[in-house]
Amino acid sequence: MKKIALGGMVLSLIFAVSGCVIGSGHSKAPVAAGTRTLRVLTHDSFDVDKALVAEFEQANNAKVEFNKLADAGVVVNTAILDKSNPIADVLYGVDNTYLTRATQAGIFSTYISTNAGAIKSELMPAAASRGLVTPVDYGNVCLVYDKTWFEQHKVALPATISDLTQPAYKNLLVVENPSTSSPGMAFFAATIGYLGENNDAEYWHKLLVNGTKVVDGWSTAYNTEFTAGGGSGSRPLVVSYNSDPASDVYFSEGKTSPGVAVLDIPGSCFRQVEYVGILKGSKVPDLAQKWVDFMTSVKYQEDIPLKMWVYPANNEAKLPDVLTKFATEVRNVQSLDEDTIGQKRQGWLDEWQKISGE
Amino acid sequence: MGRSGKGGWMSGRRLAVSEGYIPPPTSPYLKGRRERIDIGRVLLIGMVVVFTAAWVVPVGAIWSRVLSVRSFVDVIRSPHFGKVIGFTVGQALLCTAICVVLGGWLGMIVGRYDFRGKAIYQTLLMVPFVLPTVVVALLARMIFGDATVGVSWWPIVAAHVFYNVSIVIRLTAPFWANLDEAYLDAARVAGANPLTFFGRLVWPLLLPALGAAALLVFVYCCTSFGVVLLLGGIKFSSIEVEIYRQTFNYLRLDQAAALSLLQLLVLGAFAVLYGWLTRHVVATAVTHVKRQLSVVAALHKWLYRLSLLVSFGAVLLPLLVLLFRSLLVGKQVSLHYYIALFSSSSANLLVSPLAALENSLLVAMGTVGIVAAAGLVLIFVLVERRRQSGLVRLLPYLLLAPLGISAVTLGLGMLVSPLFRSLLGTKALLVLVHSLLSMGIVLGSLLPAMSKLAPQLGEVAATLGAGPVWIFGKIWLPLMKRVLLSALIFASLISLGEFGATVMLTRAENTTMPLLMSQFLGRPGSLNFGRALAMGSLLMVLCLIGVGLMQWLQNKEF
């Protein structure tokens, strides 16, 4: 009998705990009467200071819920599939490579932030999406190199992206796969923009022959393959972001100068812009509008750089010292308008499939 | 699994059973039994319906919107996808073969012999299940070198074997532990040569467990996502990776849907094949007296020791690498990253590491609870009627289907399906998904083990006046306890390590450990990398404690 009793106890314990878990799924934190909920659909890299959100919640008697999905592609797909009965009120994080697709599907209702006047004009979306979304931030996907490695090995930095196909740079570069990674796609687009669609295939073919490594995503490229990433890889050149020198100092142990730098050469950088928009069918459109205004306000914008390592779209937002000091704005940015990207994206991916022999 | 020499499921008081016993037809037991069948049927059918609806509704929501005959034909006729499908099935078959041989061998040693550190060995075997991808990437670089990863196929196969061999060991070890020594002796006395010995005696007995393990390994290798994505480079891609690409980057949901249907069909075909191959399951009584194996030939002993040592090293290595890297700050050893993880620098994150830890634990416990309940129902209903053919016997195989559904499709479907709207972002939904993904391993553990139980045990008890609940609690449950616990270990680890579906269904405050880890890895700087490694190490240690605890419970006689 003892055995059964013990077994029974263990099992009932398991059930009790699982019951609590499932119960807790439904139970919400106590909220004041009349509090409304704002649902924000965003990607997995999203982050914000909790205090800021609390401030918004208090000012508007609201509760903000963040639905973080894997990446921008998932976010856009979900919103499109769910148009008739939207999963959220606001979508943040659609970038310029997906924007046209999203707006063509008609998921956004018309609204732009009251702070739009302060937003950098070059970030404003092209015709197809005008009036539907507001830029929140931008970042530049660039070639980043390990300063120490180049000094120690006495290798000159490449002066053009074509140099990367030369024997001197054999096995030195790691890039992300354009078909699985957004920085990978961005760099691929930058080379197309610079070299032209006719020459790009040959360039990439040479790049691969010269030992360029293609990995699934940014995290593997930077953390595992890059010499200055955490995993002490073997490649001193990586496709990454131009804020890296600043974050390298910020997130390290007592470093006073960055170990990495941006290779600012033509055809190596691509600007990614992220937008916020209100989804059609939102039940709290006025609250959603307030959130869009809030995200583009100076206070929120100044929180962005140290949370997501991208630049605020609002001209009046001050950058943190670590960014102004260590991350320089790049000069050679290949920017293409979203409508062009929207049209060409499929063709580029097909081309990549041919090049990589998939 | 303890001292296998002490006798497995039927230690302590042993019921004397004559195998040929048939209860008298007029027994009052039969009446009670008919009633019980009805309750059991209702329970089983209800459970299968709930679990099936949980994947059919969301996946149907996607397929009904985008799937067309045309997209399906396009996918089948495309040479690119042909190559992908070929590679997926080919590598999975190869991995399965290797796992069966390797795992069968190690399972035999674990099941039949006692050795020092056996419990630790069995605990460590489960580590690969929750190994963070960054560790896999680091290890692959370390072991195979820069020039091999992404260029040849065998790092993928090696990684899959590493991940899955423990399934075969776990599922076959109980079989060996319960193998009746008398059979073997009888065969020896009768002068069976080794080939006959294996082919006519061991193989038919081993087949249900080994077959189930092989099917599971095959399914896992086919649907593996992270490993192929990490180690495949630009040359190798699997159906699952292709579904991901078509969905999120090419934005061709129709092709993704066609691919996921195709994947389900391919796996379904293999499941049917498996069912056909194991249709003549040999039911054997578990009553046995297993002797302490006395004299083992010296050669065998060394062979066993060597294989144990090598496999021990293989599972220990990644753990040590992870721990070491998480303690290495610059060139010094320190707890810096662990302190950073729980200090103020992490405090203003939307989700603190501590909260993630709590979320992971709660979801895993919920999953274990659901899976335990499902396992109990399965045992209760099926243990005495598995010889019956027909619907009831086949129903549970439906629970295998979620394994063949791509996590990406399942996740996306749950997002857009109205039925799951109210659960969206809750832990309950994560518990549901993790339970769905764990059911395969539960079936793979329970069904073969149940096929070994002699139904006469229950009949004898019934004729002596025992009620169905008593029979269940006093006979079947103690007999199945170890196997059930083993399945729960798998379920908890699947839950703790799950990433693909979780990342699509989580609201910020329910972020789990693997998710937070990937968020740290998504930011540059050595501090983030260090925090991710520290988080990974904590996850590992947590898993080891959990597995160790259940291992202890499993070894304990109660």
Side-chain angles (χ1 to χ4, degrees), chain B residues 17-177:
Chain B
V17 179
S18 77
E19 279 201 42
Y21 181 80
I22 300 160
T26 50
S27 155
Y29 161 66
L30 280 182
K31 207 173 152 201
R33 189 175 179 200
R34 184 144 303 128
E35 265 166 43
R36 194 150 42 83
I37 287 175
D38 293 336
I39 302 167
R41 264 216 177 132
V42 170
L43 266 177
L44 180 76
I45 293 172
M47 187 179 91
V48 173
V49 165
V50 168
F51 273 90
T52 307
W55 69 266
V56 168
V57 170
V59 172
I62 297 277
W63 286 356
S64 63
R65 288 183 214 199
V66 294
L67 196 61
S68 65
V69 178
R70 207 203 136 120
S71 56
F72 197 72
V73 172
D74 277 354
V75 163
I76 289 179
R77 291 173 72 179
S78 139
H80 169 62
F81 289 133
K83 226 174 93 182
V84 169
I85 294 164
F87 176 73
T88 307
V89 175
Q91 61 86 20
L93 282 175
L94 181 64
C95 292
T96 309
I98 299 174
C99 280
V100 162
V101 173
L102 220 63
W105 170 249
L106 289 170
M108 193 264 290
I109 300 177
V110 169
R112 296 198 71 184
Y113 299 95
D114 284 336
F115 47 88
R116 235 174 291 151
K118 185 165 161 180
I120 298 173
Y121 177 75
Q122 284 179 291
T123 305
L124 279 174
L125 273 181
M126 308 305 285
V127 164
F129 261 75
V130 281
L131 204 59
T133 47
V134 59
V135 184
V136 181
L138 283 173
L139 277 173
R141 263 186 56 89
M142 259 172 60
I143 295 168
F144 304 114
D146 199 32
T148 314
V149 175
V151 181
S152 39
W153 49 266
W154 57 269
I156 297 178
V157 172
H160 281 163
V161 169
F162 176 73
Y163 271 102
N164 291 307
V165 76
S166 63
I167 296 179
V168 184
I169 301 178
R170 278 257 163 194
L171 262 49
T172 54
F175 154 79
W176 288 107

Side-chain angles (χ1 to χ4, degrees), chain A residues 3 45 81-82 178 345, chain B residues 65 247-249 421 523 558:
Chain A
K3 296 177 197 171
S45 316
L81 279 169
D82 226 18
R345 189 189 165 84
Chain B
R65 288 183 214 199
T247 307
F248 299 132
N249 217 6
R421 188 53 63 86
R523 312 261 148 88
F558 64 79

